[in-house]
Amino acid sequence: MGLARRAQQHYTYADYVAWPEDERFELIDGVAYAMAPAPTRSHQLVVVELSRQLANALKGGPCQVFVAPFDVRLPHGDEADEAIDTVLQPDVLVVCDAAKVDEHGVRGAPDWVAEVLSPASAARDQTVKLAAYERAGVPEVWLLHPTDRVLTIYRREDGRYGRPQIQEMHGRVAIGVLPGVSVDLDLFTG
């Protein structure tokens, strides 16, 4: 999976918040995965443009746009924050339920998530991280590959992600879970 893991043991959010700030990890089912070094220029351009378009489209409504680093705590049930063993930092996310947002990030499934793939994290983003989003009930996940200019969209159907929609990063694409909101992929230049 590209990036090193922290020592093999089961970690929780209580462990995660105690680690030094210069150590960046994500937790997936208790396994700590090291975050990639600073993103590339093309990665950052996609994140900035995507968040700009979303913030403009959602302005004045109940939905909020956040960008990494921003913790998304995904409980398996009603466990206390300290016991949560999955904490992710999506590149861009939208949350429409203000009750899920607190000073520490988001608790529960965001309404929409985007991951911008990079060589160091692409395998994990497309496998274990995507499975964590599915299990948590994230309705729609976009995986953007800026180098190959490919967009893969996963939408939940009957409690699972159906067959992905795969297309070139070109044209205007609607976000299914955000009625009336679309993204102009032609503006993602690098």
Side-chain angles (χ1 to χ4, degrees), residues 138-154:
V138 177
E140 187 168 336
V141 175
W142 285 22
L143 302 176
L144 298 104
H145 196 300
T147 305
D148 293 341
R149 307 252 335 135
V150 173
L151 167 63
T152 305
I153 300 173
Y154 289 89

Side-chain angles (χ1 to χ4, degrees), residues 115-158:
E115 293 287 356
V116 180
L117 303 180
S118 63
S121 65
R124 182 176 69 234
D125 288 348
Q126 295 175 91
T127 57
V128 294
K129 202 167 177 181
L130 183 65
Y133 290 139
E134 181 179 43
R135 183 196 74 241
V138 177
E140 187 168 336
V141 175
W142 285 22
L143 302 176
L144 298 104
H145 196 300
T147 305
D148 293 341
R149 307 252 335 135
V150 173
L151 167 63
T152 305
I153 300 173
Y154 289 89
R155 292 187 176 108
R156 281 180 60 92
E157 301 168 4
D158 300 321

Side-chain angles (χ1 to χ4, degrees), residues 13 71-75 81 84 86-88 102 104-108:
Y13 187 63
D71 289 344
V72 174
R73 303 179 312 275
L74 299 175
D81 273 356
I84 292 173
T86 300
V87 183
L88 303 176
D102 61 26
H104 304 289
V106 175
R107 179 187 168 107

Side-chain angles (χ1 to χ4, degrees), residues 3 40 53 73 122 188:
L3 297 173
T40 63
Q53 288 187 42
R73 303 179 312 275
F188 292 59

Side-chain angles (χ1 to χ4, degrees), residues 101-114:
V101 181
D102 61 26
E103 286 304 310
H104 304 289
V106 175
R107 179 187 168 107
D111 294 274
W112 180 87
V113 164

